[in-house]
């Protein structure tokens, strides 16, 4: 099976109309009526520009830092009719967050980029990941070492490698060694105290939301998780989990015997 066909099949699995999905109630994920647009061009950071004058960004997708391949993929769609489904409210620049499907071949624009490993899944400025099934598409691309995933991401315990990614978006895996709940935020440590490795910070508001979905200090301790976000450097490498969707439990990979 060719890459294009394989990517298209994976993308269709992620498109909301292709399979039953859990009801989405978060305001950022409420869909407005779909409409058709003609793709006229592409602005910075993957901004879709329509002949109508409208501007949009693809929902649930993090535009890559090195965007040449992703840009070429979307530029090939210029002049085509696109079925656009807005979600939530426009961003601070007045751009809609949209699901986008090319009418010519029913291709899911975001799904194809993720399936080819050209972009990662992320809520971006939204408070919820509206298309969580795209993470399965991303996982398939990661297993095949496509695009962004050609080189394995550093482990959460590899402090020097994480420091080299400072200021960049990354998807990191590791085992939660300690959970510290404080007044304003919670800290998830992936290395023993004093060691050089990842810490994830979670605001009190986000931590409450996570707890409501069963992610607590007890359930996360000793569990392998996948974290996505911008790596900053404090005393060590830090990712601030902006939403509950930034932390994904990798089921079946719990580790017993981790010291508290």
């Amino acid at each position: 099976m060719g890459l294009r066909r394989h990517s298209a099949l994976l993308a269709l699995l992620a498109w909301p109309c292709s399979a039953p999905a859990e009801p989405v109630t978060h305001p950022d994920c409420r869909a407005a009526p779909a409409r058709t647009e003609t793709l006229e061009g592409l602005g910075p950071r993957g901004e879709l520009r329509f002949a109508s004058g409208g501007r949009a960004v693809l929902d649930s997708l993090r535009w890559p830092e090195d965007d040449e391949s992703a840009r070429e993929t979307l530029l090939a769609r210029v002049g085509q009719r696109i079925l656009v489904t807005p979600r939530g409210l426009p961003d601070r620049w007045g751009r809609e967050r949209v699901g986008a499907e090319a009418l010519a071949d029913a291709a899911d624009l975001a799904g194809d980029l993720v399936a080819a490993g050209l972009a990662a899944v992320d809520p971006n400025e939204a408070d919820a990941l509206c298309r969580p099934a795209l993470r399965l598409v991303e996982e398939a691309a990661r297993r095949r070492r496509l695009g962004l995933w050609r080189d394995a991401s550093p482990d959460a315990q590899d402090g020097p490698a994480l420091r080299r990614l400072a200021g960049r978006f990354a998807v990191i895996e590791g085992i939660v060694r300690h959970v510290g709940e404080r007044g304003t935020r919670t800290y998830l440590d992936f290395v023993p105290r004093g060691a050089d490795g990842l810490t994830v910070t979670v605001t009190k508001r986000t931590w409450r939301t996570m707890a409501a979905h069963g992610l607590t200090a007890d359930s996360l301790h000793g569990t392998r998780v996948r974290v996505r976000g911008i790596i900053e450097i404090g005393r060590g490498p830090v990712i601030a989990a902006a939403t509950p969707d930034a932390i994904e439990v990798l089921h079946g990979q719990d580790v017993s015997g981790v010291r508290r």
Side-chain angles (χ1 to χ4, degrees):
M1 180 182 293
L3 172 59
R4 182 175 179 81
R5 185 180 176 191
H6 179 81
S7 299
L9 287 174
L10 286 172
L12 286 173
L13 288 174
W15 190 248
C17 64
S18 65
E22 294 182 3
V24 175
T25 58
H26 196 283
D28 281 355
C29 297
R30 290 174 185 162
R35 67 178 191 274
T36 56
E37 294 273 10
T38 299
L39 184 62
E40 185 176 65
L42 198 66
R45 308 293 299 162
E47 178 184 279
L48 306 178
R49 294 181 174 175
F50 303 125
S52 65
R55 298 176 303 144
V57 291
L58 293 172
D59 178 52
S60 300
L61 181 142
R62 164 72 60 165
W63 191 253
E65 299 287 342
D66 304 317
D67 70 347
E68 182 178 351
S69 296
R71 179 172 294 274
E72 289 178 355
T73 298
L74 290 187
L75 284 175
R77 298 283 181 183
V78 169
Q80 294 186 10
R81 297 289 285 171
I82 306 294
L83 180 65
V84 172
T85 305
R87 293 195 180 92
L89 297 174
D91 67 14
R92 65 179 109 170
W93 297 283
R95 304 175 303 184
E96 296 176 300
R97 281 187 306 108
V98 301
E101 179 183 352
L103 293 179
D105 56 3
D108 170 10
L109 270 59
D112 275 2
L113 290 176
V114 174
L118 301 181
V121 178
D122 189 55
N124 274 316
E125 295 200 2
D127 284 337
L129 183 64
C130 300
R131 300 184 61 189
L134 277 179
R135 292 189 298 205
L136 299 176
V137 180
E138 181 189 272
E139 174 62 18
R142 183 183 295 107
R143 289 180 181 276
R144 298 179 68 201
R145 295 292 182 89
L146 299 177
L148 299 174
W149 319 115
R150 186 175 297 110
D151 299 320
S153 298
D155 187 86
Q157 297 188 61
D158 191 345
L162 294 172
R163 290 172 185 276
R164 290 193 288 271
L165 296 176
R168 297 176 67 93
F169 178 86
V171 181
I172 306 298
E173 291 184 18
I175 298 167
V176 179
R177 303 284 172 172
H178 176 262
V179 180
E181 296 180 85
R182 303 292 185 266
T184 59
R185 66 188 67 244
T186 295
Y187 297 84
L188 309 181
D189 296 314
F190 290 76
V191 291
R193 188 181 300 276
D196 188 14
L198 182 67
T199 295
V200 171
T201 63
V202 186
T203 65
K204 187 174 182 179
R205 173 174 173 264
T206 299
W207 186 245
R208 284 199 301 263
T209 303
M210 291 173 60
H213 290 84
L215 295 181
T216 63
D218 286 340
S219 69
L220 285 173
H221 180 267
T223 299
R224 177 169 288 275
V225 301
R226 181 177 293 143
V227 183
R228 57 190 70 226
I230 303 293
I231 294 181
E232 304 293 348
I233 305 300
R235 293 183 177 178
V238 177
I239 290 178
T243 73
D245 296 300
I247 300 173
E248 179 186 1
V249 174
L250 302 180
H251 294 287
Q253 300 189 55
D254 292 356
V255 178
S256 60
V258 177
R259 292 179 61 85
R260 292 184 181 270

